[in-house]
Every structure is written in C-alpha cells, then in structure tokens.
Amino acid sequence: MIRKDTARSESNPFHEHFKYGIITTLVALCAFFATGWCAPAWCGETAVLEVTDAGDHLSPTPWTKDYIRKKPYVIYSGKLNTMTILWQTYQTPAKSTIVWGTTTSYGKGPVTVHENGSLANEHQFSHTTSGLQPATKYYFQVTNDGYSHGGSFTTAPAPSTTGVSFYGYGDSRATWLDPPVEHNAVLTQLLADMNQDPVRRQTVLVHLGDYVYNGLNEYLWDLQQFNPEAQYESMHSTFSKMPFMGVLGNHEGYDAYARRETVFNFQNLGELFRKYYPYKYANNKRFYHSFDYGPVHFVVIDTWSYKDQIIDTQQANWLQHDLKTSKKPWKVAMIHTPIWDCLAGNTAIQNQLTPILKAGGVQLVLQGHQHYYSHVTYNDMTYLVLGGGGATLLDPATTTCVEEANKTIVKTAFVYHFARFDVLGDTMTVSVINSDGGAVEPPFTITNGSAPAKSR
C-alpha cells in the first residue's frame, strides 16, 4: 500500500533546507549531466550540503523558535543501568539541559549538556544516564532555550531475567528524496502493538540496516531517519521510547548510483552512521559490536565496511570469542547481508559465517537487504529477512527462490512488516506483523537448543 505524504509547514528550518536543497540539486544535476562530470546522486549531495553549511547561522540566539534538528532518541550504552539520549539542533542554544526520573516530575537533573561543536553539521548533544534500576520505566525531557522534547524508556532487564521481549525490522529507507511515509506507517503499527502490553513490550528495537537512501548525505538523515515533522510522529515516538540498536547497511556506506570502489569519499564509509549511532564498536574502523539484554546476547556483524563483504580475520576471531564467552541462554546475530534466504545467497559468506554462528550457539539470525519477508531454516537454525521497513518492496514471487540441501523455505511475503520476539525461558515466540496489523504468518516458536522453529 502506497501512502501519500501530507502538506508541510514552512515555519521549520528543515523546510528551508528542503526547499533550497531541491532547487540547488536540480541546478547541479542539469549542469553536471551536461558535462558528464558527476554521478547523479553525488551532484545532489554536494549541492545540498553546501546549502546546509551556508544556512547555519541565519537565526539569532537565544532562540526565538524551536530549532530542533533531530528530536531526542535513545540508544543502549551496553552497560546495565544506563541509557544514552541524543539530539541535534540547527544552531547553538544558549543552554541545553536534560532531566529524568521514574515519573513525569522527573527528579534527576537538570544537567547541562554541551554540544560537540558549532559547525553546521555538528550541534550534537549526548547524555548517558547512570545509576538506573533494571527493568524500570524512566521519563526524560530535553530543553533547548526553553523548547522541550521528551520521551521515556525501560531499562534493560537484570542479567538473571529469563523473559524479555524485543522488536526487529530493517530496510526502512525511502528512495532518493522521498520522505519516510512507509517507515512511519510500520512504526505506527509497532507502537500500537507495544501499547497493548507496554510493561513487557516497551523494550529494545533492533534494525537490520539501510536507514537512508544515501548514508553519506547529512540531508537525507534529516529527511528519512530523523524527519522532525508532525506527520512522522510515530518515528519520533518510537525512537524516544525504545533504545535503537542497528547494523551498518550498504546504503550507510556509499551512494546507490555509484559502484563502491568509485565513490569519491569511500574512505568516509559509514561515518554518518557512526556519528548518529555511536555504539560501543569493537573496532574504531569497523562497525561490529555486541550487547546483552536480559537473557539475550546480541552480536552485530559488519560486512559492508569490506569491499567484498567477507569479514577479515580480526572480526572473525572477535566473533568466535564473543559468542564462546557469552553465557546467555539466547544468542541472536544481526547482519545486513543475508546469509541464508529464500534466494541462493552468497556462498562465500555462507561458508565463512555459518560454521562460526553454529559453533557459537546462535539460535536466530536477523537479516536485511532484501525488501521482503523471508523465513528459512538451515541446519536447525532460523534465518529471518526483515526487509519490509519502508523501502520499495521486492516481490519474492518474482525472484528465484531456491530449495537447497539442509535449507527449508518456511514463508516469504511481499509486505511491509516488523517482528516481535517474546522470550520466556527456553522458548522464543516470533510474531511477524504487517503495517496494517495483520499476521504475516502464524506465530512460531524457536527452542533454546537444536530444534528448528515450529508454527503454533
């Protein structure tokens, strides 16, 4: 289902960037197409960034209106009893503060938070709250020169917890300069699902990569992932209520119109993803990391900072050691490139990663990249492609799905969707839900052992 965006107000600085960015992009496209000097999207990106830089100091300080650029969003620091809140503005506020507490009266703070810099694409703020109680709901409010934005989160469960819920989805990007209409629709339904049981379901949200069309373009992060306009309130609300933990996708590292090896700033691959999602990466040049959340150990694999998608020895060794040393009963791998899918897949990636994940005790692999839903089992492990987060869908019926030895194709679907995972002891129940609230397939279970997924 295609949804049309609603009209925009012209009172927000975001609209000014959008309007002038479009005009300048069109002029640049015409000029560069005529001369053949540049690939299409890179011409547009350069123009947009120039306009963004030039317009940074147009407004006076202290603020006379709200210059929020990226409303507060939450990520998990990986340390129990902490949570990190981040936001960004278009210009330097005279004062920026945060308060938090277990009620909307807060009680902690205010703490003054300073920006990371005053250049056009800086003005970032980050605060990690600490000393929090596990499995407890906290409210927070960020205030910049009198303009406030709030949210809430539930802290990670205690390590001894045997039950937890979490959500997953991927490939939420729109196309080129399109706004995030379908992404917002998916998160509208996710919030509705969460609100049916907020005590259990206000939890962590994992994303399988591809957030924006061109991950090296600041403007597209503003437009497609952090759009501040009211019609995308489901996105704002989700990101301010659930710690958002993600994987590097191919669109975060390069321009979709150009081959990766020819992109002029290939050396900056993933830099904006790292900027807006500063997870505790195990390597400062790569994007792999892991974290615990209750009884679940999540391991995040990075294949897209490598030219051939084959991870190097350093990441392979880290992955083996990380899985071996985790004592959690549930292990979930997150990766953008599908390892096992309804398609035949990349045999080199399969040969490299399948033995490591199997030996490491992983029960579930969450994947993206393909814009559909795919549920397969391979050697008693469950592999899901959750690629229906907002990008233009691909109908798996038009692709060449392949049955292979030891692989079973359980279900494919051409639909926008997300998944909820409910862990209770030795059983994980998986519910895959489309953007209209319907079940993509009947809920199925995964057992904490060698048994494959079973439909209920």
Side-chain angles (χ1 to χ4, degrees), residues 312-353:
D312 59 13
T313 302
Q314 185 175 11
Q315 184 178 173
N317 290 340
W318 170 86
L319 180 59
Q320 290 174 315
H321 181 265
D322 181 86
L323 291 171
K324 181 180 179 179
T325 56
S326 173
K327 304 302 182 184
K328 293 296 181 181
W330 288 94
K331 296 177 182 177
V332 175
M334 298 163 53
I335 186 171
H336 184 64
T337 308
I339 304 172
W340 292 98
D341 181 17
C342 71
L343 303 179
N346 185 314
T347 56
I349 294 175
Q350 291 169 347
N351 292 338
Q352 183 187 41
L353 292 178

Side-chain angles (χ1 to χ4, degrees), residues 103-169:
T103 71
T104 52
S105 297
Y106 309 110
K108 299 291 186 180
V111 172
T112 299
V113 186
H114 299 284
E115 63 184 17
N116 70 331
S118 59
L119 297 179
N121 288 314
E122 295 178 332
H123 306 296
Q124 286 183 277
F125 299 82
S126 174
H127 180 75
T128 299
T129 57
S130 59
L132 309 178
Q133 296 300 310
T136 301
K137 184 170 182 176
Y138 285 84
Y139 300 85
F140 68 88
Q141 182 172 272
V142 168
T143 302
N144 306 293
D145 280 2
Y147 297 92
S148 298
H149 299 275
S152 64
F153 56 81
T154 300
T155 49
S160 60
T161 303
T162 59
V164 73
S165 296
F166 65 93
Y167 287 94
Y169 75 129

Side-chain angles (χ1 to χ4, degrees), residues 141-338:
Q141 182 172 272
V142 168
T143 302
N144 306 293
D145 280 2
Y147 297 92
S148 298
H149 299 275
S152 64
F153 56 81
T154 300
T155 49
S160 60
T161 303
T162 59
V164 73
S165 296
F166 65 93
Y167 287 94
Y169 75 129
D171 295 87
S172 55
R173 66 171 181 84
T175 299
W176 193 204
L177 292 176
D178 292 337
V181 177
E182 299 297 348
H183 184 187
N184 192 72
V186 169
L187 294 186
T188 297
Q189 192 57 54
L190 190 152
L191 284 172
D193 186 80
M194 183 200 79
N195 287 328
Q196 292 178 19
D197 188 1
V199 174
R200 286 182 54 86
R201 296 181 185 175
Q202 187 173 0
T203 178
V204 68
L205 172 63
V206 302
H207 193 288
L208 289 313
D210 281 4
Y211 312 82
V212 302
Y213 186 73
N214 180 341
L216 298 181
N217 188 322
E218 294 270 8
Y219 170 71
L220 289 182
W221 285 95
D222 292 341
L223 175 68
Q224 295 180 349
Q225 180 67 1
F226 295 104
N227 195 308
E229 302 209 19
Q231 60 262 46
Y232 306 114
E233 181 55 39
S234 290
M235 295 171 62
H236 314 156
S237 184
T238 302
F239 300 155
S240 67
K241 288 182 178 178
M242 296 185 181
F244 188 96
M245 307 300 288
V247 179
L248 181 78
N250 55 300
H251 279 263
E252 280 66 71
Y254 73 106
D255 178 83
Y257 284 130
R259 295 175 60 199
R260 297 175 72 239
E261 56 267 37
T262 64
V263 174
F264 75 88
N265 59 347
F266 175 75
Q267 69 275 14
N268 297 325
L269 181 149
E271 65 175 2
L272 297 187
F273 176 72
R274 186 187 301 272
K275 172 181 176 179
Y276 293 117
Y277 293 109
Y279 303 125
K280 302 298 183 183
Y281 300 106
N283 183 310
N284 60 11
K285 293 184 179 179
R286 303 293 183 182
F287 298 88
Y288 53 90
H289 61 104
S290 64
F291 62 97
D292 292 336
Y293 206 84
V296 184
H297 180 69
F298 292 89
V299 61
V300 180
I301 302 171
D302 166 22
T303 59
W304 278 100
S305 69
Y306 302 88
K307 184 176 178 180
D308 55 5
Q309 298 183 58
I310 303 301
I311 68 175
D312 59 13
T313 302
Q314 185 175 11
Q315 184 178 173
N317 290 340
W318 170 86
L319 180 59
Q320 290 174 315
H321 181 265
D322 181 86
L323 291 171
K324 181 180 179 179
T325 56
S326 173
K327 304 302 182 184
K328 293 296 181 181
W330 288 94
K331 296 177 182 177
V332 175
M334 298 163 53
I335 186 171
H336 184 64
T337 308

